[in-house]
Amino acid sequence: MGIKYMEEYRDPEIAGRIADNIRRASKRPIRLMEVCGTHTVSIFRNGIRGMLPKTIALLSGPGCPVCVTTQKEIDTFIRMAGLDEVIIATFGDLMRVPGTSSSLQKQRAEGRDIRMVYAADDALKIARQHPDKKVVFPGVGFETTAPTIAATLLAAREMRLDNFFVFSAHKCVPPALFALMGNQDVRIDGFILPGHVSVIIGTRGYVPFFQKYRVPCVVAGFEPVDILQAIYTLIRQIESGKAELSNDYRRVVTVDGNTKAQQIMKDVFEVRDAAWRGIGTIPESGLKIRATFSDLDAEKMLDFRVPESVEPKGCCCGEILTGRKIPPECPLYQKVCTPEDPVGACMVSSEGTCAAYYRYQGSGIGGQGSGARSRGPGVRDQVSGRERDKSPCTDS
């Protein structure tokens, strides 16, 4: 993709015209949820909340893969790191997510062999370099990541590696949409669907969800013009009383998606029920490694037991991931939970909602919901002074 092509989607004048259209079209209060951590970060970084009228509230959903990884799964990775002759090879975000009593980062500081990698293929290289060790790669992510992990397992099989394993904690986005709409505590008038996941599953992947709930949905790209156009599409649908499954990211997303990637996933993984942080167990929302690849499955090949996991006391990650709260309404936010010393997963990942608020929004409950305005893309939101909700989220 050429730079010029990208710049067209970052043009302040085009973005301003779309924002004007949104302000003219929006007549009543609505709540839209972006279901992608990259969207969340782009919305904050480009000051999009401040460009919207007070009638539009943006909610951040469970679109950050590290954030929705459960405490038990984090504890499992930490427990595996403590096994003899085991090397954990993992992405950087996962290193700092606190488990019940430790983190991978702390375990590494205490001498465990935990290595940060930039691709699953790097873990394969470590396995080849250390045939006397068991190399475990924690598989975390959505349909975007799962095909690459599946390809890595196929490569390990072809190389006849007997010391490479994956622990699959992968999750699928469409079942989470069903769970969100089934939650009576959250009102969502429309969804901004994730661009990355949609590249793989195509718009066809959302059809069963859309047919059941008939809620306005639009697939969006990640540049300011992409996101504003998606919001405008949703506003037009809602104000006209129509619900459609739209694709505003046609330069990348097709109806059928990447069928080759889908097939690789099907070859290696099968669907299972999965627990999500803040949501609970969602039927058929996870991916486990098929029995034919059990010799590469850390769940099957490593002998370990994980003690009962405990959620961080007072942490509101669950409410934030489902749109029931925003970060400044968490009693820990900025007080004891910061990017330097995170308590919850949402403050760790670069795509986490709490981390995005902390970096771009400051301490107040700002954004379009409280009337803060900015001049256009690239201008950060201003902070409002609304009083915080002092009520604890869990049992603090």
Side-chain angles (χ1 to χ4, degrees):
M1 185 177 296
I3 291 177
K4 181 177 183 300
Y5 193 51
M6 292 291 292
E7 288 178 345
E8 292 169 352
Y9 292 91
R10 299 171 180 171
D11 189 306
E13 290 188 13
I14 297 174
R17 288 199 295 272
I18 299 173
D20 289 341
N21 290 336
I22 291 172
R23 284 190 284 271
R24 283 192 292 269
S26 183
K27 306 297 183 186
R28 52 180 165 146
I30 63 167
R31 293 158 58 88
L32 308 177
M33 176 174 278
E34 81 267 3
V35 193
C36 178
T38 309
H39 278 147
T40 298
V41 173
S42 182
I43 286 168
F44 277 104
R45 184 171 55 227
N46 293 294
I48 288 175
R49 288 174 178 241
M51 300 179 72
L52 302 177
K54 294 179 181 179
T55 48
I56 301 174
L58 295 182
L59 310 173
S60 299
C64 161
V66 168
C67 302
V68 299
T69 301
T70 65
Q71 197 75 350
K72 183 177 181 180
E73 289 166 336
I74 298 297
D75 287 341
T76 298
F77 303 150
I78 294 169
R79 182 70 187 88
M80 289 191 296
L83 299 176
D84 292 336
E85 307 300 326
V86 165
I87 298 174
I88 299 291
T90 183
F91 297 135
D93 277 0
L94 206 56
M95 296 274 287
R96 299 177 61 245
V97 179
T100 298
S101 58
S102 186
S103 69
L104 289 174
Q105 187 177 52
K106 289 179 180 177
Q107 290 295 301
R108 185 169 71 169
E110 293 174 4
R112 302 298 182 187
D113 197 344
I114 302 168
R115 307 184 187 191
M116 188 174 73
V117 297
Y118 295 96
D121 188 53
D122 294 339
L124 275 183
K125 295 175 184 174
I126 295 172
R128 295 181 69 180
Q129 292 165 355
H130 300 276
D132 57 327
K133 303 282 187 179
K134 298 174 182 175
V135 177
V136 179
F137 182 82
V140 170
F142 302 120
E143 293 92 336
T144 318
T145 309
T148 62
I149 309 303
T152 303
L153 287 169
L154 291 172
R157 173 62 57 80
E158 187 175 338
M159 295 176 188
R160 299 184 178 181
L161 287 177
D162 60 2
N163 67 326
F164 176 77
F165 308 96
V166 168
F167 185 99
S168 179
H170 292 104
K171 295 173 175 58
C172 302
V173 167
L177 300 178
F178 281 91
L180 288 167
M181 288 302 291
N183 187 340
Q184 300 301 316
D185 295 335
V186 183
R187 194 197 94 216
I188 302 171
D189 300 305
F191 284 97
I192 302 172
L193 298 175
H196 293 147
V197 166
S198 302
V199 169
I200 304 298
I201 69 174
T203 56
R204 194 183 304 282
Y206 304 104
V207 169
F209 166 73
F210 179 75
Q211 288 180 335
K212 178 172 182 178
Y213 289 104
R214 307 299 295 183
V215 60
C217 295
V218 58
V219 177
F222 301 100
E223 300 301 332
V225 168
D226 287 318
I227 295 172
L228 285 165
Q229 181 58 45
I231 293 171
Y232 184 42
T233 298
L234 289 172
I235 299 301
R236 284 187 297 175
Q237 289 188 35
I238 294 167
E239 294 293 345
S240 64
K242 297 179 180 178
E244 297 176 354
L245 173 55
S246 302
N247 181 9
D248 282 358
Y249 200 26
R250 294 176 185 273
R251 65 185 187 277
V252 176
V253 175
T254 64
V255 173
D256 292 327
N258 186 329
T259 55
K260 185 175 182 180
Q262 293 170 23
Q263 188 59 53
I264 291 175
M265 277 198 295
K266 290 177 182 176
D267 290 343
V268 175
F269 297 116
E270 60 181 303
V271 172
R272 68 174 169 186
D273 298 347
W276 296 53
R277 187 189 297 268
I279 300 178
T281 299
I282 303 176
E284 299 185 345
S285 67
L287 297 175
K288 69 175 183 180
I289 297 172
R290 289 189 180 276
T292 50
F293 292 89
S294 61
D295 57 317
L296 302 171
D297 188 347
E299 282 189 77
K300 303 288 176 56
M301 301 303 293
L302 301 186
D303 185 16
F304 61 90
R305 190 182 69 83
V306 181
E308 185 176 352
S309 297
V310 178
E311 297 291 335
K313 194 174 182 179
C315 175
C316 290
C317 273
E319 288 85 349
I320 291 166
L321 287 167
T322 52
R324 288 174 287 167
K325 285 186 180 292
I326 59 175
E329 294 174 319
C330 174
L332 307 185
Y333 178 73
Q334 285 195 329
K335 295 177 181 174
V336 296
C337 184
T338 65
E340 292 76 24
D341 190 16
V343 175
C346 297
M347 187 61 91
V348 176
S349 172
S350 60
E351 295 188 347
T353 304
C354 294
Y357 261 82
Y358 190 95
R359 181 175 182 182
Y360 296 109
Q361 190 95 350
S363 60
I365 305 176
Q368 81 299 327
S370 57
R373 300 288 294 274
S374 73
R375 292 170 294 174
V379 181
R380 294 181 183 180
D381 288 5
Q382 301 301 307
V383 175
S384 76
R386 200 176 98 190
E387 186 178 355
R388 293 182 185 180
D389 181 355
K390 301 292 193 302
S391 62
C393 296
T394 53
D395 57 350
S396 61

